Amino acid sequence: MERVNKLILSKAGSDVEMIPEVANHLISSGGKRLRPMLTLATAAMFGYRGDYHVYLATSVEFMHTATLLHDDVVDESDMRRGKSSARMIWGNQASVLVGDFLLGQAFRMMVETGSMEALKVLSNAAAVIAEGEVLQLSVAKKMDTTEDDYIAVIRGKTAELFAAAAEVGPIIAGASDAERTALRDYGMALGLAFQLVDDVLDYGGSSADLGKNVGDDFREGKVTMPVILAHQRGDAEEKAFWRSAIEDGENDDVALEKARRLIAKHNALSDSISRALAYGDAARAALAPLPMSTGRHALEEVIDYCIARIS
Amino acid sequence: MERVNKLILSKAGSDVEMIPEVANHLISSGGKRLRPMLTLATAAMFGYRGDYHVYLATSVEFMHTATLLHDDVVDESDMRRGKSSARMIWGNQASVLVGDFLLGQAFRMMVETGSMEALKVLSNAAAVIAEGEVLQLSVAKKMDTTEDDYIAVIRGKTAELFAAAAEVGPIIAGASDAERTALRDYGMALGLAFQLVDDVLDYGGSSADLGKNVGDDFREGKVTMPVILAHQRGDAEEKAFWRSAIEDGENDDVALEKARRLIAKHNALSDSISRALAYGDAARAALAPLPMSTGRHALEEVIDYCIARIS
């Protein structure tokens, strides 16, 4: 991971001063580096000894960073990881363009590995992630979003990159197709668990855990799992409340308190947590056929870490 | 080109409805398809008979379209190709994300060709283009931008994609390194000529030629070649005018008229045209060592077409 951090700093460099400024603001702000860790651990599982897993891990982190820069513009967010978001400091313009630059650098590094299969997986992920984000935009502020619709959104916008990160490790290490599929499944389930935990924290955590403000999803009119469940289980008056809050933007602090109360009343937070736990179990089950190793152990710990953020 | 148009429509498709809506708004709005034409013509020059030049040409057009979608957000533009810009209809959010989707699709298509060399050239271009755009952001509204600074900006933000488009044709056709370099040089010079002509049209053309409003560059505080030359050649009072207009945003219609007058007084438009013509000649010279063919003839016609937009 030390080598990934070094490569991140070197590849975020440019003669154009603003690029490392903006990129490092986000990169050095204590991101968890979960996704590149998946690539390193899954390559290590198959005894990979070269350098290219470091390149792929860095590509994955750059794709993630580019997404965050673009997301902050899309969501008009003020905060990210407990600091002012890049767009608040350098503007939307720099956030869009530095995101594009990091995406270009990510593809350059993939090309350096010479692995066409890894390129296939990660270019596919780039398109699927964007598709998931656009899908989220179309269901945003729509209270008729179903649980299935929502899972489709987070499968694209979050879980796909976890899946791709875990799949390119075995690819670069020359593992079998079955091993590759198992690790892709692991990453996909882990990513779904991760996002559901994030959703829960937005209604139940504190700003410190989250690196953003509690209630941000609510104020942005985002339809997430706790909201879907509470709405589904609510009576007519409650359903009307959710529509006015999410669709019409009646989302002041009083409304947020009411939302939290309704979510608690209908066990919508604990049932979102159950779903996250189920995906965590699915991730663990996907690893079961693989031989025990320090790499596999690390991957199991990542599941625990993701889930433990809730408590 | 018919096959490129078909592939464009198919690859801009998605189950997420908003994606083809936004993408086709721009794609079907009468873009000139100059860049994909370069890829087709340069592949044809070497007798290429497969399908992959169509994939690469479509990738190039998608990279260009993604850039336009992101540029409109960055420049806060209302118009593009004589229509409302996508961001005015669907918002900044959709423009950023559909741009990201098209970039992902572009890389997917490159992967389908199986050409690692083409991927190298185009991923490099993606990073360099973004770098050029960020550089433009840092020199924006700065009247101490030199002619050399400005050429560095447009080399990245505009000419690099022309160069890459012309280079992947010979790559996919298996041409020699010398042929590849000649065509890259052609594309680079053509791109510089193209951008300088665009700059000139912004002060001297009509909205109809330009697909955007005359004076947009001026109102956005963009330092372009005519502005640099007029400023350089102006007296103290004129230099102060340029600073207030470009740096402090004193750019109403009266100021625009004055800007046009000063540009004319110092032959800044005609000298920008001379520079465009010189790059046009350089593009022609780069083609000289290559055997005459319909492909080469088409590439020469593109030079004439780019320059002829001025008259």
Side-chain angles (χ1 to χ4, degrees):
Chain A
M1 189 54 75
E2 191 49 47
R3 285 159 71 200
V4 171
N5 284 331
K6 267 194 191 152
L7 194 60
I8 284 176
L9 286 177
S10 130
K11 296 288 178 180
S14 164
D15 294 339
V16 181
E17 274 175 47
M18 202 190 276
I19 290 179
E21 271 177 38
V22 176
N24 292 336
H25 173 75
L26 197 55
I27 288 168
S28 64
S29 67
K32 298 169 291 293
R33 306 264 198 275
L34 269 184
R35 296 160 190 80
M37 226 272 268
L38 299 183
T39 304
L40 297 184
T42 53
M45 279 180 81
F46 304 99
Y48 181 71
R49 292 248 157 257
D51 291 322
Y52 290 145
H53 62 328
V54 174
Y55 279 74
L56 292 173
T58 306
S59 294
V60 163
E61 185 68 3
F62 274 19
M63 287 174 67
H64 175 54
T65 309
T67 307
L68 295 183
L69 284 166
H70 287 183
D71 275 0
D72 285 341
V73 173
V74 167
D75 294 341
E76 301 178 352
S77 305
D78 308 341
M79 281 181 78
R80 166 71 67 187
R81 294 180 178 162
K83 305 207 288 187
S84 290
S85 65
R87 72 169 203 103
M88 293 302 288
I89 305 176
W90 291 276
N92 281 341
Q93 309 175 315
S95 295
V96 170
L97 297 176
V98 174
D100 290 349
F101 174 76
L102 292 178
L103 213 52
Q105 290 290 74
F107 278 99
R108 262 178 168 169
M109 283 184 278
M110 294 171 213
V111 168
E112 285 190 60
T113 70
S115 167
M116 197 56 95
E117 274 307 301
L119 266 156
K120 192 171 179 175
V121 167
L122 289 169
S123 62
N124 186 59
V128 169
I129 292 165
E131 214 167 13
E133 303 247 12
V134 179
L135 185 60
Q136 179 169 52
L137 215 56
S138 6
V139 305
K141 310 196 177 184
K142 288 202 182 132
M143 271 321 310
D144 59 355
T145 307
T146 65
E147 204 176 320
D148 284 352
D149 292 339
Y150 182 64
I151 294 294
V153 167
I154 66 177
R155 196 175 279 278
K157 77 159 195 160
T158 307
E160 177 66 29
L161 189 56
F162 280 80
E167 191 178 359
V168 293
I171 287 175
I172 203 72
S176 73
D177 282 357
E179 289 161 331
R180 196 179 139 169
T181 303
L183 285 164
R184 179 177 173 81
D185 292 347
Y186 158 83
M188 183 63 78
L190 177 70
L192 292 168
F194 178 88
Q195 182 61 56
L196 290 172
V197 168
D198 239 37
D199 293 352
V200 164
L201 286 175
D202 198 75
Y203 285 94
S206 71
S207 291
D209 300 336
L210 207 54
K212 57 178 192 174
N213 302 309
V214 169
D216 271 353
D217 289 350
F218 182 72
R219 279 183 290 269
E220 286 165 13
K222 279 194 183 157
V223 180
T224 62
M225 188 60 81
V227 171
I228 291 171
L229 295 179
H231 170 261
Q232 213 173 63
R233 297 166 184 180
D235 59 22
E237 185 273 324
E238 291 172 12
K239 283 194 161 70
F241 162 78
W242 285 111
R243 273 197 304 278
S244 85
I246 298 289
E247 299 184 355
D248 307 329
E250 305 282 337
N251 53 23
D252 61 11
D253 286 355
V254 177
L256 176 58
E257 269 324 294
K258 177 160 184 182
R260 290 173 75 148
R261 213 161 55 239
L262 293 179
I263 284 172
K265 173 180 166 192
H266 292 296
N267 301 318
L269 222 46
S270 51
D271 285 353
S272 298
I273 293 172
S274 308
R275 283 163 176 73
L277 293 173
Y279 284 118
D281 289 344
R284 214 177 306 274
L287 295 177
L290 302 168
M292 188 42 87
S293 66
T294 51
R296 179 176 149 187
H297 185 65
L299 296 178
E300 286 173 341
E301 284 189 336
V302 173
I303 305 173
D304 296 333
Y305 168 79
C306 285
I307 303 283
R309 293 191 305 150
I310 301 175
S311 55
Chain B
M1 189 53 76
E2 192 48 48
R3 285 159 73 200
V4 171
N5 284 330
K6 269 195 189 151
L7 194 60
I8 284 175
L9 287 176
S10 130
K11 296 287 177 180
S14 163
D15 293 340
V16 181
E17 273 175 48
M18 204 191 275
I19 289 179
E21 270 177 39
V22 176
N24 292 337
H25 173 74
L26 197 54
I27 288 168
S28 64
S29 67
K32 297 169 291 295
R33 306 264 199 275
L34 268 185
R35 296 160 189 80
M37 225 271 267
L38 299 183
T39 304
L40 297 184
T42 53
M45 278 179 81
F46 304 99
Y48 182 70
R49 292 249 156 254
D51 289 322
Y52 290 144
H53 63 326
V54 174
Y55 279 74
L56 293 173
T58 306
S59 294
V60 163
E61 185 68 2
F62 273 20
M63 288 174 66
H64 175 56
T65 308
T67 307
L68 295 184
L69 284 166
H70 287 183
D71 276 0
D72 284 342
V73 172
V74 166
D75 295 340
E76 302 178 353
S77 306
D78 309 341
M79 281 181 79
R80 167 69 69 187
R81 292 179 180 163
K83 304 207 288 188
S84 290
S85 65
R87 72 169 204 105
M88 293 302 288
I89 305 176
W90 291 278
N92 281 341
Q93 310 175 316
S95 295
V96 170
L97 297 175
V98 175
D100 290 349
F101 174 76
L102 293 178
L103 213 51
Q105 291 289 75
F107 278 99
R108 263 179 168 168
M109 283 184 279
M110 294 171 214
V111 168
E112 284 191 62
T113 70
S115 167
M116 198 55 96
E117 274 307 301
L119 266 155
K120 191 171 178 174
V121 167
L122 289 170
S123 62
N124 187 59
V128 169
I129 292 165
E131 213 167 14
E133 303 247 13
V134 179
L135 185 60
Q136 179 168 54
L137 216 55
S138 6
V139 305
K141 309 195 178 185
K142 287 202 184 130
M143 272 319 312
D144 58 356
T145 307
T146 65
E147 204 176 320
D148 283 352
D149 293 338
Y150 183 64
I151 294 294
V153 167
I154 66 176
R155 196 175 279 278
K157 76 158 197 163
T158 308
E160 178 67 30
L161 190 56
F162 281 79
E167 191 178 359
V168 293
I171 287 175
I172 203 72
S176 72
D177 282 358
E179 289 161 332
R180 195 178 140 170
T181 304
L183 286 164
R184 179 176 173 81
D185 292 347
Y186 158 83
M188 184 62 78
L190 176 70
L192 292 168
F194 177 87
Q195 183 60 56
L196 290 172
V197 168
D198 239 35
D199 294 351
V200 164
L201 286 175
D202 198 74
Y203 285 94
S206 71
S207 291
D209 299 336
L210 208 54
K212 57 178 190 173
N213 302 309
V214 170
D216 271 353
D217 289 349
F218 182 73
R219 278 182 292 268
E220 286 164 13
K222 280 194 183 154
V223 180
T224 62
M225 188 60 81
V227 171
I228 291 171
L229 296 178
H231 170 261
Q232 213 174 62
R233 297 167 185 179
D235 59 24
E237 184 275 323
E238 292 173 14
K239 282 194 160 71
F241 162 77
W242 285 112
R243 275 196 305 278
S244 85
I246 298 290
E247 299 185 354
D248 307 329
E250 305 282 338
N251 52 25
D252 61 10
D253 286 354
V254 177
L256 176 59
E257 268 323 295
K258 177 160 182 183
R260 291 174 74 149
R261 213 162 53 240
L262 293 179
I263 284 172
K265 173 180 165 191
H266 292 295
N267 301 316
L269 223 47
S270 51
D271 285 353
S272 298
I273 293 172
S274 306
R275 282 162 176 74
L277 292 173
Y279 284 117
D281 289 344
R284 213 177 307 274
L287 295 176
L290 302 168
M292 189 41 88
S293 67
T294 51
R296 179 177 150 187
H297 186 65
L299 296 179
E300 287 174 340
E301 284 190 334
V302 173
I303 306 173
D304 296 334
Y305 168 79
C306 286
I307 304 283
R309 292 192 304 151
I310 302 175
S311 55

